[in-house]
Amino acid sequence: MSSRQLLDRILDWARGEEGVVAVALTGSRARADGRVDQFSDFDLQIITDAARALLEDDSWLDGLGEVWIRFPLDSAAPYRLVWFAGGRKVDFQFISPAEIQGMRESGWLSDEYLRGYTVLLDKGALFSGLPPSPQTFPSPPAPAERELLAVVNEFYFEAIHVAQFIHRRDFWVVKHRDWTMKQCLLRALEWHGQVCRDERPNTWTLGRRIREWAGDETYERLTRLWAGWEAPALWRALDLQLALFRELCGELARALGCDLDEARYQAIEAYIAELRRDDLATD
């Protein structure tokens, strides 16, 4: 079954489902910016006041095609993320008509709709008068000092863990803790792009298209932050990650007028360097 055939089946189901008022497409397929490929999923908003019934019994999904995976299995969650046979993914989000009505009355579009939306089905002209999408990407606000400090604190909290577990040769835990560090690093990269650059890039989500928006030099440094399963390589990657995070957050702090208590983080990095020297000397 092709992507088009799957979408047609979904719309046929929606037309026949009495409680469904409208269906809107968001995400990459609604933006028509030339980035859709064979793996692009469908982000569909099902506009209905009957979401509870559709979620408590989601067997209607099986009528759309062979379901490989549906997530979550929690019937109360207001969405279904579904892999259909052939590797075709549809994200169903259930929202009330009142949300669309609110946007129509205010003339204000949600962030999701600002990025792009296409009305696929509208049984009662619910979307009539809703402003068209400018297909822009709202920039997140600059972080408050407490937000920046929280991310810096968590990053160094896990950096100590990573260093100790490298020393212990407990590499699974290293990888687990390191991923939290990388989540903090991504947040710092996103904020840095919004606060410290002349042209604010679209930082997308989850690090998508990071090669495009992080800048060539930073991207090259990022490529060296993933190490294998050997202590020397893990130590090198940790050092590089610490250096990049320190630079990003230092520039952010100066731009925002924040005090990062750098002496404390320098002491942590000195402790990590001591662990590294001791470990490699005895390896």
Side-chain angles (χ1 to χ4, degrees):
M1 180 168 54
S2 69
S3 295
R4 182 68 246 183
Q5 289 170 325
L6 176 59
L7 181 60
D8 287 343
R9 284 194 183 186
I10 294 169
L11 292 177
D12 285 345
W13 164 80
R15 290 187 189 97
E17 188 67 35
E18 184 177 351
V20 174
V21 174
V23 178
L25 176 72
T26 61
S28 61
R29 288 185 179 270
R31 288 193 296 273
D33 58 3
R35 295 182 179 271
V36 172
D37 62 20
Q38 62 179 321
F39 302 116
S40 297
D41 61 8
F42 287 100
D43 296 288
L44 295 179
Q45 289 193 344
I46 309 299
I47 293 86
T48 178
D49 280 326
R52 182 173 179 178
L54 293 171
L55 290 164
E56 287 181 348
D57 179 7
D58 62 9
S59 59
W60 53 272
L61 289 168
D62 299 300
L64 303 177
E66 181 186 349
V67 174
W68 276 353
I69 295 289
R70 68 190 76 200
F71 179 85
L73 296 176
D74 175 10
S75 63
Y79 60 91
R80 287 293 182 272
L81 313 180
V82 184
W83 284 106
F84 289 96
R88 308 202 183 281
K89 182 167 178 277
V90 181
D91 292 353
F92 295 93
Q93 180 185 8
F94 296 85
I95 65 172
S96 72
E99 292 184 52
I100 306 301
Q101 180 69 25
M103 286 196 291
R104 192 176 70 181
E105 292 175 355
S106 68
W108 171 86
L109 295 177
S110 67
D111 283 357
E112 195 167 22
Y113 276 49
L114 283 172
R115 291 182 173 90
Y117 75 92
T118 301
V119 180
L120 301 178
L121 176 67
D122 191 0
K123 295 179 180 178
L126 177 65
F127 282 84
S128 177
L130 190 69
S133 172
Q135 299 205 356
T136 58
F137 293 83
S139 299
E145 182 172 359
R146 59 178 175 76
E147 293 177 292
L148 177 59
L149 292 176
V151 167
V152 173
N153 197 58
E154 186 172 15
F155 179 88
Y156 279 100
F157 180 87
E158 296 296 8
I160 299 169
H161 274 132
V162 167
Q164 291 181 347
F165 280 102
I166 294 174
H167 204 295
R168 288 172 170 169
R169 299 296 187 269
D170 206 341
F171 294 154
W172 185 280
V173 182
V174 169
K175 297 294 185 180
H176 175 78
R177 297 289 187 177
D178 177 67
W179 182 242
T180 302
M181 291 180 66
K182 285 183 167 57
Q183 290 176 308
C184 295
L185 176 62
L186 177 60
R187 181 63 61 85
L189 280 165
E190 293 168 343
W191 283 337
H192 189 273
Q194 301 304 327
V195 173
C196 301
R197 296 194 21 205
D198 294 332
E199 262 188 55
R200 293 186 174 185
N202 170 24
T203 54
W204 297 86
T205 58
L206 301 176
R208 291 184 65 188
R209 299 174 185 168
I210 198 167
R211 187 169 195 167
E212 297 176 9
W213 59 260
D216 292 341
E217 181 185 349
T218 299
Y219 180 77
E220 191 281 326
R221 295 172 72 178
L222 290 174
T223 65
R224 294 181 280 145
L225 300 189
W226 272 262
W229 205 259
E230 308 83 24
L234 289 165
W235 283 120
R236 284 193 299 272
L238 177 58
D239 287 345
L240 292 168
Q241 189 165 207
L242 287 165
L244 178 57
F245 187 82
R246 184 192 325 115
E247 290 175 28
L248 291 169
C249 291
E251 292 178 16
L252 267 170
R254 288 189 289 275
L256 297 170
C258 299
D259 179 12
L260 285 185
D261 190 8
E262 292 186 19
R264 179 154 52 98
Y265 301 118
Q266 288 170 359
I268 292 172
E269 290 200 32
Y271 168 73
I272 291 172
E274 181 182 349
L275 283 182
R276 182 184 65 247
R277 286 192 298 271
D278 175 71
D279 185 36
L280 296 179
T282 58
D283 190 20

